[in-house]
Amino acid sequence: MDTILIILRALKIDQTVLIQFGFLLVFFNTLAPLLFRRMQEVLELRESKTTKLESQAHNIYKKAEDLAEQYKAKIEKTHQDSQDIAQKKKNDVLNKERLILKDLEEKMNSEYEDRKSKIHNEMAEKRTQIMAEADKLAGNLVEKLTK
């Protein structure tokens, strides 16, 4: 106990310390609600702003992802539609070309058959002419050989 008294005297602490401590408690309890309440409000305001902004950022990010998915779906649908239209047009053109080719082929076949029959008729006529002259030519040949 003597050492404690020696330390207190060296620090120049006397009986007024208890009174000062009492004043400190009274002032603290009086000023704390005024100062700390305001500081608490500021801290809560800052926290609400940062937390709410973070949640708003998450909501906006989620909306952006949803819009991106919708955009991709629309692009894919449009691409598929354009592919279908292009394929349909290609098939239409191919069908028209097939019809034109078929018509031309039929026309060429009929011309070929006409010319073929014409040539056969000419050959038949010439054959009959030659066969008609064959007896005469054979007779001339026999005459020449016998001379």
Side-chain angles (χ1 to χ4, degrees), residues 76-98:
E76 191 64 35
K77 185 181 182 297
T78 304
H79 178 70
Q80 186 63 36
D81 291 345
S82 66
Q83 290 293 329
D84 292 342
I85 291 170
Q87 188 65 34
K88 182 180 177 188
K89 286 182 180 181
K90 182 179 177 182
N91 289 338
D92 290 344
V93 169
L94 287 173
N95 287 336
K96 286 180 184 178
E97 287 180 358
R98 283 187 195 118

Side-chain angles (χ1 to χ4, degrees), residues 22-90:
F23 280 134
L24 180 69
L25 285 177
V26 169
F27 282 126
F28 180 77
N29 287 331
T30 306
L31 294 176
L34 297 174
L35 297 176
F36 292 131
R37 184 171 14 118
R38 181 67 183 143
M39 288 176 74
Q40 184 66 29
E41 288 175 4
V42 169
L43 289 173
E44 288 176 0
L45 178 65
R46 286 182 181 177
E47 182 181 353
S48 69
K49 282 187 177 180
T50 57
T51 306
K52 286 182 182 176
L53 291 178
E54 185 177 328
S55 66
Q56 286 177 351
H58 286 300
N59 290 338
I60 291 172
Y61 184 71
K62 186 176 180 182
K63 286 179 184 178
E65 285 179 344
D66 292 341
L67 289 175
E69 288 177 15
Q70 290 175 358
Y71 177 71
K72 286 180 183 177
K74 285 182 181 180
I75 286 176
E76 191 64 35
K77 185 181 182 297
T78 304
H79 178 70
Q80 186 63 36
D81 291 345
S82 66
Q83 290 293 329
D84 292 342
I85 291 170
Q87 188 65 34
K88 182 180 177 188
K89 286 182 180 181
K90 182 179 177 182

Side-chain angles (χ1 to χ4, degrees), residues 127-141:
R127 186 177 293 141
T128 54
Q129 287 176 356
I130 290 174
M131 290 305 217
E133 291 179 10
D135 290 333
K136 183 177 166 187
L137 290 174
N140 284 340
L141 183 62

Side-chain angles (χ1 to χ4, degrees), residues 73-124:
K74 285 182 181 180
I75 286 176
E76 191 64 35
K77 185 181 182 297
T78 304
H79 178 70
Q80 186 63 36
D81 291 345
S82 66
Q83 290 293 329
D84 292 342
I85 291 170
Q87 188 65 34
K88 182 180 177 188
K89 286 182 180 181
K90 182 179 177 182
N91 289 338
D92 290 344
V93 169
L94 287 173
N95 287 336
K96 286 180 184 178
E97 287 180 358
R98 283 187 195 118
L99 290 174
I100 291 170
L101 183 64
K102 190 174 182 181
D103 290 343
L104 289 174
E105 184 179 0
E106 288 176 1
K107 184 178 176 183
M108 289 180 75
N109 281 337
S110 66
E111 287 178 13
Y112 170 75
E113 291 297 326
D114 289 343
R115 286 185 182 176
K116 182 179 172 185
S117 65
K118 195 178 206 182
I119 290 173
H120 279 292
N121 290 340
E122 288 177 7
M123 285 178 61

